[in-house]
Amino acid sequence: MPITPATATHSSSNGTAEAILLELVDEDGVTIGTAEKLAAHQPPGQLHRAFSVFLFDARGRLLLQRRALGKYHSPGVWSNTCCGHPYPGEAPFVAAARRTHEELGVSPSLLAEAGTVRYNHPDPASGLVEQEYNHLFVGLVQAPPAPDPQEVGATAFVTPAELKERHAADTFSSWFMTVLDAARPAIRELTGQSAGW
């Protein structure tokens, strides 16, 4: 498995390496502990806190990203605008805004909570498992993306019809439709009925 920012350790303030920890939760989303990031994704997976962001432009088009080829999990597939994991004790809203800027070089002009969804999605290609209690966010973006190539291979703004065509032709993350469907009520409220979401 390649070493990427997601699987590598990071340096603490005293120069020692620290593992990236995820917040483990129960079925109600209550924190029950922590686990190292890769260990939490080993089968059968440990239920952990995550977030998914859906950003739209002024025309109501959804910003998609294709995950970079160096990602430890689901590399090279299309997915929602941004997804990831809060640090232990970090509010999901803060983590969502932080990672959107780190991955895509943009800050949402609006970001709102859109509920939660719990799922279990194995990734056959990597053998890893997404056991997640996922906090959903929808928002608006006004600046063009400036993606970090270590995180994002490509971006695209799509209408619902274009997403349908792309979804039929390209590979998407195993969790994409689950989080999109769960966020649809908030997406419709944000974009209006005429956008077609």
Side-chain angles (χ1 to χ4, degrees):
M1 178 176 300
I3 301 298
T4 71
T7 58
T9 56
H10 61 275
S11 295
S12 67
S13 58
N14 65 9
T16 61
E18 288 178 15
I20 295 174
L21 297 178
L22 304 185
E23 200 169 84
L24 300 181
V25 299
D26 66 15
E27 293 291 338
D28 296 316
V30 176
T31 303
I32 57 172
T34 60
E36 189 276 324
K37 187 173 187 175
L38 194 56
H41 290 87
Q42 298 291 337
Q46 295 174 286
L47 184 59
H48 57 274
R49 195 175 309 284
F51 64 83
S52 290
V53 177
F54 297 85
L55 295 182
F56 296 82
D57 67 7
R59 294 168 48 192
R61 298 179 304 166
L62 171 60
L63 174 58
L64 297 177
Q65 71 154 277
R66 183 172 10 187
R67 294 164 63 83
L69 292 175
K71 299 284 270 187
Y72 79 108
H73 191 323
S74 302
V77 302
W78 287 93
S79 199
N80 50 294
T81 307
C82 181
C83 53
H85 309 94
Y87 294 127
E90 183 181 30
F93 182 91
V94 173
R98 173 180 57 80
R99 284 302 292 162
T100 299
H101 188 267
E102 289 172 357
E103 290 188 9
L104 294 159
V106 294
S107 295
S109 58
L110 171 75
L111 190 64
E113 294 182 8
T116 60
V117 63
R118 192 262 196 250
Y119 53 78
N120 175 1
H121 286 299
D123 176 33
S126 68
L128 300 176
V129 178
E130 287 290 7
Q131 277 280 10
E132 294 191 330
Y133 186 92
N134 198 302
H135 297 257
L136 307 170
F137 298 92
V138 300
L140 300 173
V141 62
Q142 294 177 319
D148 175 352
Q150 296 291 323
E151 299 287 344
V152 179
T155 61
F157 281 97
V158 296
T159 65
E162 291 166 342
L163 175 60
K164 188 174 181 180
E165 290 175 11
R166 189 180 289 265
H167 195 263
D170 290 322
T171 304
F172 276 70
S173 64
S174 60
W175 62 86
F176 176 74
M177 287 308 299
T178 300
V179 293
L180 176 62
D181 287 343
R184 277 187 200 274
I187 290 170
R188 290 183 184 125
E189 187 176 331
L190 176 75
T191 61
Q193 292 297 327
S194 62
W197 293 103

